[in-house]
Amino acid sequence: MKIRKAVIPAAGYGTRFLPATKVVPKELFPIGNKPAIQYIVEEAVQAGVQEIVFITSEGKKLIEDYFKPSPPLEAFLKEKDKLDLLPRIEALPSLAQFHFVNQPVPKGLGDAVLCAKEIIGNEPFLVLLPDDVIWSRRSCCQQLSDTYQEGREAVIALENVLKDRVSLYGIVKTKPAGKGVHLIQSVIEKPALEEAPSTLAIIGRYLLPPTIFPILEKTRPGQLGEIQLADALHKLAGRGETFGLEFQGKRFDVGEPQGLVEANLALSPF
Ligand code: G1P
């Protein structure tokens, strides 16, 4: 089945980037001359996604503006004979069909994904967390999609992380299920190292079935009093058929300043 839709949660305050995020959404910080969010959108589009649902909050209107046409800027570039710059902006609105859904209260990643329920409907979909920018020859979303097409119900990107980092991620307990593929048996959100069943961490790319929505609706607040996607995945995994894929590629955590600098050094065309 083709994966046509994706959800990009982008409602958070970006506190690790204060004071810059006081007015500028962190998703618009550039890697080279291109905002981080565009890398994420392009990854989804390259994997065949046609509709993207952004989950945003007040203060994130600039993200919406970024993917809209800008007739005055286009007219200016034409008038000043800067036609070579036009393609940089003209294609943005037609990369995909964009939807913007407001998450009124920051109730967690699980709640953010649930906000996309009506638009996603009854089909499998991708979730891309914009804090994780991933460089790879075959995009991470494409790798998840290829693994999904082999007949799996849900496929989640995994990365083996250092022991001192496990408390920052959803951590999985798994059984081997093929080359780089794991059957997920349980998920625990941000465990202390002593409680972690492994060092395999969930990274911000998920290919999920629509059956995750009723599970999310029943998921009670967990860590930080928020509705955690990891808790819903734990329940989904309890039914079997939830897989993890150790993707090929290099991930940059652009949700923190050091990661954004590293991404700029590695990915910027300049
Ligand atoms: C979120 C998820 C976590 C996952 C991580 C991947 O955490 O809650 O399970 O491992 O993304 O980046 P956050 O980084 O938003 O705190």
Side-chain angles (χ1 to χ4, degrees):
M1 188 172 183
K2 267 192 88 178
I3 311 298
R4 301 187 310 121
K5 296 181 182 176
V7 179
I8 303 183
Y13 281 116
T15 49
R16 283 179 288 176
F17 275 106
L18 282 170
T21 41
K22 184 165 178 274
V23 289
V24 182
K26 65 176 174 182
E27 294 82 2
L28 293 179
F29 291 168
I31 299 172
N33 58 343
K34 211 160 73 171
I37 194 88
Q38 194 176 333
Y39 289 78
I40 306 292
V41 166
E42 286 173 351
E43 182 186 330
V45 169
Q46 277 159 13
V49 164
Q50 295 159 5
E51 273 185 64
I52 293 180
V53 189
F54 285 105
I55 311 302
T56 57
S57 55
E58 217 175 300
K60 297 288 182 119
K61 199 184 159 290
L62 285 177
I63 299 179
E64 200 167 337
D65 292 346
Y66 186 73
F67 290 101
K68 272 190 194 154
S70 175
L73 178 57
E74 285 169 30
F76 172 83
L77 294 177
K78 282 178 193 156
E79 194 192 308
K80 299 287 174 189
D81 207 18
K82 292 180 188 285
L83 298 180
D84 55 317
L85 297 179
L86 267 179
R88 295 195 192 177
I89 57 162
E90 262 178 347
L92 289 169
S94 52
L95 279 173
Q97 184 184 346
F98 296 110
H99 305 269
F100 293 85
V101 177
N102 183 48
Q103 184 187 24
V105 185
K107 283 196 288 187
L109 180 58
D111 179 68
V113 172
L114 190 52
C115 290
K117 181 183 164 200
E118 299 306 321
I119 299 174
I120 298 297
N122 194 27
E123 56 184 289
F125 63 102
L126 282 157
V127 177
L128 297 91
L129 304 189
D131 277 357
D132 289 323
V133 168
I134 301 174
W135 180 88
S136 54
R137 277 198 297 144
R138 193 164 44 111
S139 80
C140 184
C141 280
Q142 190 63 57
Q143 293 174 48
L144 294 188
S145 176
D146 292 347
T147 306
Y148 171 84
Q149 303 300 345
E150 290 164 9
R152 275 116 181 178
E153 199 197 353
V155 189
I156 296 154
L158 298 179
E159 183 182 304
N160 221 335
V161 296
L162 295 172
K163 282 187 177 163
D164 64 351
R165 307 284 292 174
V166 296
S167 63
L168 301 174
Y169 298 98
I171 300 291
V172 292
K173 180 177 175 215
T174 61
K175 269 208 246 173
K179 196 165 173 271
V181 182
H182 301 256
L183 175 66
I184 297 180
Q185 296 172 299
S186 63
V187 184
I188 173 165
E189 177 71 356
K190 302 192 175 141
L193 181 58
E194 313 79 73
E195 290 162 27
S198 75
T199 52
L200 275 179
I202 294 179
I203 299 309
R205 300 289 184 277
Y206 312 72
L207 202 169
L208 300 173
T211 47
I212 197 72
F213 292 123
I215 298 178
L216 280 168
E217 278 165 340
K218 289 195 208 100
T219 301
R220 295 284 131 244
Q223 259 243 354
L224 304 173
E226 294 179 349
I227 297 170
Q228 298 293 346
L229 181 58
D231 292 344
L233 293 175
H234 177 73
K235 285 185 211 150
L236 188 73
R239 302 176 181 178
E241 288 304 297
T242 300
F243 291 84
L245 176 72
E246 281 187 80
F247 65 95
Q248 308 282 319
K250 164 94 180 124
R251 173 180 62 104
F252 299 91
D253 180 359
V254 301
E256 51 121 23
Q258 191 187 333
L260 184 68
V261 172
E262 284 166 9
N264 265 284
L265 292 175
L267 305 178
S268 162
F270 305 108

